[in-house]
Amino acid sequence: MTRRRRPSSRPALQVARRSRPAPYSRAEILARWSGCAYCDGAAEELDHVVPLARGGRDVAANVVAACRDCNASKYTHTLACWAATGGIPPCVCDS
């Protein structure tokens, strides 16, 4: 036997879902920047200006072209923190 459920007097809650960000093309990002966004060297990689680990979004507006050295030294630091130390650890943001 199955039990019948009473109709709820409360309206059903609607859960808002986040829409997915528009996809971006690696080739378009690299073409938009003529070189590394940080040092004007040859860009080989993409870097999130506000790192994903710090709440940044994976959208084209948050992605720039970067050389390997700049991308590796920036790691998960914010741009302001990374620039304040000249890309040389220790960083003042404690990460």
Side-chain angles (χ1 to χ4, degrees):
M1 290 180 129
T2 59
R3 289 185 161 184
R4 288 188 185 181
R5 290 188 180 179
R6 275 194 237 172
S8 176
S9 60
R10 293 183 287 170
L13 296 176
Q14 295 287 330
V15 177
R17 292 187 177 185
R18 285 188 181 182
S19 61
R20 289 187 178 192
Y24 56 86
S25 167
R26 174 184 172 82
E28 288 177 13
I29 301 287
L30 291 173
R32 185 180 348 148
W33 296 85
S34 58
C36 177
Y38 307 123
C39 73
D40 292 328
E44 305 157 334
E45 300 178 356
L46 299 181
D47 180 51
H48 291 87
V49 178
V50 178
L52 299 176
R54 296 202 176 251
R57 296 199 51 201
D58 190 26
V59 294
N62 190 37
V63 178
V64 296
C67 67
R68 282 200 178 151
D69 292 337
C70 289
N71 196 14
S73 67
K74 186 171 172 281
Y75 189 53
T76 60
H77 304 292
T78 62
L79 183 57
C81 180
W82 178 78
T85 62
I88 302 168
C91 194
V92 294
C93 64
D94 297 329
S95 66

